[in-house]
Amino acid sequence: MPERVIRGRRVENDVWQAIGQPHGDATQPLPQGPVLVPLAYWREHRDLLAARRQPIGVWLAPADDPAAIADDLGRFSVVAIHFPKFTDGRGYSTAALLRTRYGYRGELRAFGDVGRDQLFYLARCGFDSFKLAPHHDPEAALASFTDFSVRYQGSVDDPVPLFRKRAVAGRIAR
Amino acid sequence: MYRYDSYDHALVAERVAQFRDQTRRYLAGELTDDEFRPLRLQNGLYIQRHAPMLRVAVPYGLLSSRQLRMLAHIARKHDRGYGHFTTRQNIQYNWPRLEETPDILALLAEVEMHAIQTSGNCIRNITTDHFAGVAADEIIDPRPLAEILRQWSTFHPEFAYLPRKFKIALNGAEADRAAVLLHDIGLHVIRNASGETGLRVIVGGGMGRTPIVGHVIREFLPWRHMLTYCEAILRVYNRYGRRDNIYKARIKILVKALGIEEFARQVEAEWEIARKDSPAIITQEEFDRVAAHFEPQAYESLPEMDASYVQSLADSRSFSRWAERNVHPHRRAGYASVTLSLKKTGVPPGDATDAQMDFVADLADRYSFGELRVSHEQNLILADVRKRDLFALWQAAKSQGLATPNVGLLTNIVCCPGGDFCSLANAKSIPIAEAIQRRFDDLDYLHDIGELDLNISGCMNSCGHHHIGHIGILGVDKQGAEFYQVSIGGRQGNQAALGQVIGPSFAASDMPDVVAKLIDTYIGERHEDELFVDTVQRIGVAPFKAGVYGNAKEVAHA
């Protein structure tokens, strides 16, 4: 059975294969089809990857600096951020920086130890693609995107904090 | 005080529903222990020695009488008839059942309360001065900014999985009563030379295993940038704080490793980019909206002194003693603030029964505009009492064991729940507090000793803030036995300092004697009107060491 991924709030078959630790050996020949390569692999083999004429994605580990791919963002179909443990929150800042500071507009994927209880925050920080840990049911997880209708602070999904909307609502009410 | 609008109500109701579903999935085996742990912690739920412990947020320590009655109701219905007020101005219940927690959260939501982010590696409850809004030395009332911080930090999506917990304190007066030097971020309201209001930003302070007095990272931050600057600090911390060792994960360790200059450079660089046209810059309109909730009470015009109060002070020694310690100046003529002590000997410091909570709620309604505060010294405060009501209030408080006249004195012990309740503790703390209180039960002697902060923590996490006690006591584990390490010379406030350990630790039964010997040394050495902590600062630790250990020290080292 193909692996499943949440994209655009729908569950689809996943066409991407991640390579590199802990997702396989980066020294082996690349498999057919779209691949997600680790940052170091991208840096070493960017020409080879371009020559494949297949969609390319890169994945970042928690300590990887998104500035390292800032100039290459147009070449990726997917940027993925790995969560070795869901309690390691560095990826939230990485995502926010990619979306705001570096202006990345393509697919931004969270994968690794990701569960439904992280989806609301991940989506707010700019992720729009989610590969959950195997024991999580992605269909059931969709409900978590709407856990909250209220957001006090601005973030990537909506930079305007509630207090600026309250002010507008208050003016309309008056 | 701040009242919820439809947005705040919706958010808290949605949180209750979310946690109800998470608890259901956990109990059904769909979530593992590891997956559920951070979720329950961010709703204040620990698994403790006897049962889960639930910590309820009291934002910046402010409560209405209606909220306090609900806390009493929860203590009665879901706990064993009491709650424990903490050094972070919150309340904890020691005996709730996991299954009932969503129902407790629903009850809290009814009175505009929650347990959001009272634990876990996230931004915790914002704390401030318990005399906010009534203190004479106040520059601005810190509560509107504290509420704005509360809302900003609630469910901040980028900072829910930090390396470690993160505590922010805000002080609006000249004197620091919020321990801003001992928080991950401390914000101290100041006015600059041109009369503008801003914040001195302090970072990387804290107690715990590695106590550090914080560093000023920015002398003057325009208040409108409070959120953008905090975001810059938190982003640097979230990205670069250590995650490999729980004991080295607080922001203070990062600041120490980089040095304050380099840390400040990184924060300023981040802020420089992020603040540009940021919608998170606080608007005057928002400040005014929130500040309107903290307008001064509808005070009467009263003379500064009340004749009946003066008469009662003259008539009753025990009343005047209480007034001397537990009544505090107020900026309005004819008013005072009152500390209701939760430090009666024989009762764990900070504990209040459901009946006491209901009673204090009634007192707040009758004497203090239906509001009260929780202090970080674990007492309750009625902030706005007419002086002419003080005698009647004292009599009422006394009838419920809430009028121990010891605020600022040795027996006003700040103390964590310790090994009796907490699974983190190395040693018990409550019985130590009680033994010391019993030793110093002579009120005349206690008042003669004068102001003295005594703090007890049952472990390195230092919930009892022992590092800043004039006398600090720390429970330690030595080959499975409970021992106590003593430090002296710590202090809170603008001159915050960390205590110095005096030597090898002691058995529990020695502790009242050890404290008595420290006090004897002080009495022998003190200058007139000199506080214990000032004597320690003047003469150093050595005379106290000699007083406590005498020859025994050589034995201990042998």
Side-chain angles (χ1 to χ4, degrees), chain A residues 64-66 86-90 92-93 96-97 101 113 116-118 121 124-125 135-136 147-155 159-167 169 171 174, chain B residues 2 5 7-8 10-11 14-15 18 21-22 25 31 34-35 38-39 150-152 154-158 160-161 235 238-239 243 270 273-274 278-283 285-286 289:
Chain A
D64 289 341
D65 188 344
F86 76 91
T87 50
D88 185 334
R90 285 176 284 184
Y92 293 82
S93 289
L97 286 167
R101 194 141 313 158
D113 185 20
R116 67 177 276 182
D117 295 292
Q118 285 77 53
Y121 288 157
R124 289 218 64 199
C125 288
H135 65 287
H136 283 271
D147 275 352
F148 296 97
S149 64
V150 179
R151 300 144 174 84
Y152 277 133
Q153 62 298 100
S155 190
V160 180
L162 179 63
F163 65 75
R164 289 179 186 265
K165 296 172 189 165
R166 269 174 163 145
R171 276 198 292 273
R174 278 199 296 274
Chain B
Y2 185 77
D5 65 8
Y7 296 108
D8 305 299
L11 181 127
E14 287 164 352
R15 177 59 150 199
Q18 182 196 39
D21 184 58
Q22 289 167 340
R25 283 188 278 131
L31 283 173
D34 283 346
E35 286 171 332
L39 306 179
R150 181 192 76 81
Q151 297 192 12
W152 162 81
T154 298
F155 306 151
H156 198 301
E158 196 179 330
Y161 295 103
R235 182 172 279 174
N238 190 42
R239 295 184 71 196
R243 292 174 185 266
E270 173 62 37
I273 306 172
S278 170
I281 298 170
I282 304 164
T283 58
E285 196 169 5
E286 171 65 357
R289 181 189 78 86

Side-chain angles (χ1 to χ4, degrees), chain B residues 5-114:
Chain B
D5 65 8
S6 58
Y7 296 108
D8 305 299
H9 275 294
L11 181 127
V12 171
E14 287 164 352
R15 177 59 150 199
V16 174
Q18 182 196 39
F19 189 62
R20 199 180 285 285
D21 184 58
Q22 289 167 340
T23 305
R24 179 193 62 72
R25 283 188 278 131
Y26 171 67
L27 293 171
E30 295 170 30
L31 283 173
T32 64
D33 282 338
D34 283 346
E35 286 171 332
F36 186 55
R37 184 181 307 112
L39 306 179
R40 65 171 164 75
L41 287 175
Q42 299 212 6
N43 284 286
L45 195 66
Y46 285 77
I47 300 298
Q48 285 290 23
R49 212 153 272 224
H50 305 289
M53 181 274 276
L54 179 67
R55 181 182 296 145
V56 175
V58 181
Y60 36 93
L62 189 61
L63 281 172
S64 68
S65 56
R66 177 164 172 255
Q67 292 174 325
L68 186 58
R69 285 194 188 93
M70 180 57 87
L71 296 176
H73 170 74
I74 291 168
R76 223 166 10 246
K77 187 165 175 216
H78 295 283
D79 203 285
R80 297 190 178 175
Y82 69 96
H84 173 77
F85 288 97
T86 77
T87 51
R88 300 207 69 257
Q89 302 180 291
N90 292 320
I91 182 170
Q92 295 175 181
Y93 294 104
N94 282 310
W95 306 93
R97 288 160 41 95
L98 169 63
E99 296 80 350
E100 294 176 15
T101 312
D103 296 333
I104 299 175
L105 298 184
L107 288 172
L108 292 169
E110 283 180 25
V111 294
E112 306 178 10
M113 294 184 77
H114 57 72

Side-chain angles (χ1 to χ4, degrees), chain B residues 507-548:
Chain B
S509 56
D510 294 334
M511 286 313 299
D513 282 343
V514 170
V515 175
K517 284 174 185 165
L518 290 171
I519 297 303
D520 288 345
T521 305
Y522 158 63
I523 302 274
E525 299 281 348
R526 71 175 165 187
H527 291 167
E528 204 177 340
D529 292 333
E530 190 178 46
L531 300 186
F532 174 89
V533 67
D534 293 325
T535 305
V536 176
Q537 197 175 342
R538 179 171 56 80
I539 67 177
V541 171
F544 292 91
K545 231 176 191 167
V548 170

Side-chain angles (χ1 to χ4, degrees), chain B residues 362-439:
Chain B
D362 291 346
L363 292 180
D365 281 340
R366 192 172 327 150
Y367 296 115
S368 197
F369 300 95
E371 289 183 8
L372 68 148
R373 292 101 184 277
V374 182
S375 77
H376 74 273
E377 293 179 337
Q378 303 174 287
N379 291 311
L380 299 179
I381 286 169
L382 299 180
D384 302 286
V385 182
R386 287 179 299 230
K387 285 181 177 167
R388 72 161 182 264
D389 292 335
L390 287 170
F391 188 74
L393 170 58
W394 171 66
Q395 288 186 307
K398 214 163 49 139
S399 73
Q400 293 289 314
L402 298 165
T404 312
N406 63 353
V407 174
L409 301 181
L410 188 153
T411 56
N412 182 41
I413 296 174
V414 173
C415 180
C416 69
D420 292 302
F421 296 99
C422 178
S423 53
L424 302 173
N426 289 323
K428 294 184 182 68
S429 51
I430 293 167
I432 304 300
E434 185 178 342
I436 294 168
Q437 285 170 330
R438 289 199 189 286
R439 168 64 68 97

Side-chain angles (χ1 to χ4, degrees), chain B residues 97-150:
Chain B
R97 288 160 41 95
L98 169 63
E99 296 80 350
E100 294 176 15
T101 312
D103 296 333
I104 299 175
L105 298 184
L107 288 172
L108 292 169
E110 283 180 25
V111 294
E112 306 178 10
M113 294 184 77
H114 57 72
I116 294 165
Q117 293 170 209
T118 54
S119 179
N121 296 333
C122 52
I123 306 170
R124 304 288 190 89
N125 186 31
I126 312 298
T127 53
T128 191
D129 179 3
H130 49 257
F131 293 129
V134 301
D137 64 340
E138 198 160 85
I139 300 163
I140 60 165
D141 184 342
R143 294 173 299 174
L145 288 178
E147 174 60 25
I148 289 169
L149 271 172
R150 181 192 76 81

